[in-house]
Amino acid sequence: MQRKHLILFGAASALLFSAGVQAKPRLTTDMAHDVQFSNYNSFTWASTTPPAGLNSVAFQRVQDSIAATLASKGYQRQPEGDLTVALTVGKLTRVDLDAWNHWGYHDTYARQEGQISLDAFDSKTKRAVWHGQVTDAIPVGKPADPEKVQEAVNQLMEQFPAH
C-alpha cells in the first residue's frame, strides 16, 4: 500500500511541476472608468529606450506593433500627445505555496515570469487612465519567440479602448 501512495505522490508532483512550467500567458487590464477615451486623439511614448539587457530590436518591434494598433484605433503619434504611453518589458518572481496533507507538509517554489505591461496616462494631468499586462508572455533566460511575443501584444492591444 505504501508503494502505491508513493507512486501517486510522485505522479501528482510531476503533473503539478509541469503545469507550472507550461503556464499560459495571463492577461489583466484595468482602466479609469470615468475617463472618455473619445477625448484623446494622439499619443506619445514615455520612453523609447529599451531596458538594460533587453534586445533593442525586439523592444522596438513591440513598440512599433503597439503604435500601429493605436493608429488603427484612431490615435495619432505626436511629440506632445494627449496620452503618454509607457511600455515595460521584464520579469517578476512568482512564489507558489503548496500544502499536501494533514501532517503539515508545505512546499514552496519560485519561478520567473516574463511580462509585457502597457500603461497610458493623461499627458496633461499625469493621471493613469489604462493599464494592461500579459504575464508569462516571454521566456526568462531564453530568446523570445517573436511570434509568441506578437501574439501576446495583440492580445493586450485588443483590450485597449478605441478613440
Side-chain angles (χ1 to χ4, degrees), residues 25-30 45-47 49 51 54 59 62-63 66 70 84-92 113-121 130-138 149 152-157 160:
R26 292 181 315 274
L27 172 69
T28 57
T29 61
D30 195 9
W45 288 106
S47 173
T49 305
L54 187 66
F59 185 79
V62 171
Q63 275 195 321
I66 291 170
L70 288 172
T84 299
V85 181
L87 172 64
T88 308
V89 179
K91 62 183 177 179
L92 62 94
E113 295 180 339
Q115 66 182 19
I116 298 171
S117 298
L118 186 69
D119 293 283
F121 301 89
W130 192 84
H131 170 78
Q133 181 175 48
V134 181
T135 305
D136 261 357
I138 52 176
V149 172
V153 170
N154 292 345
Q155 183 183 10
L156 180 65
M157 293 310 295
F160 198 90

Side-chain angles (χ1 to χ4, degrees), residues 63-118:
Q63 275 195 321
D64 290 346
S65 175
I66 291 170
T69 303
L70 288 172
S72 74
K73 290 185 178 245
Y75 302 97
Q76 296 177 348
R77 184 175 178 186
Q78 295 181 354
E80 300 293 325
D82 301 328
L83 290 172
T84 299
V85 181
L87 172 64
T88 308
V89 179
K91 62 183 177 179
L92 62 94
T93 302
R94 180 183 176 118
V95 178
D96 293 314
L97 174 67
D98 291 325
W100 285 92
N101 59 33
H102 52 270
W103 290 291
Y105 173 77
H106 297 283
D107 188 22
T108 60
Y109 57 94
R111 65 183 177 95
Q112 302 256 313
E113 295 180 339
Q115 66 182 19
I116 298 171
S117 298
L118 186 69

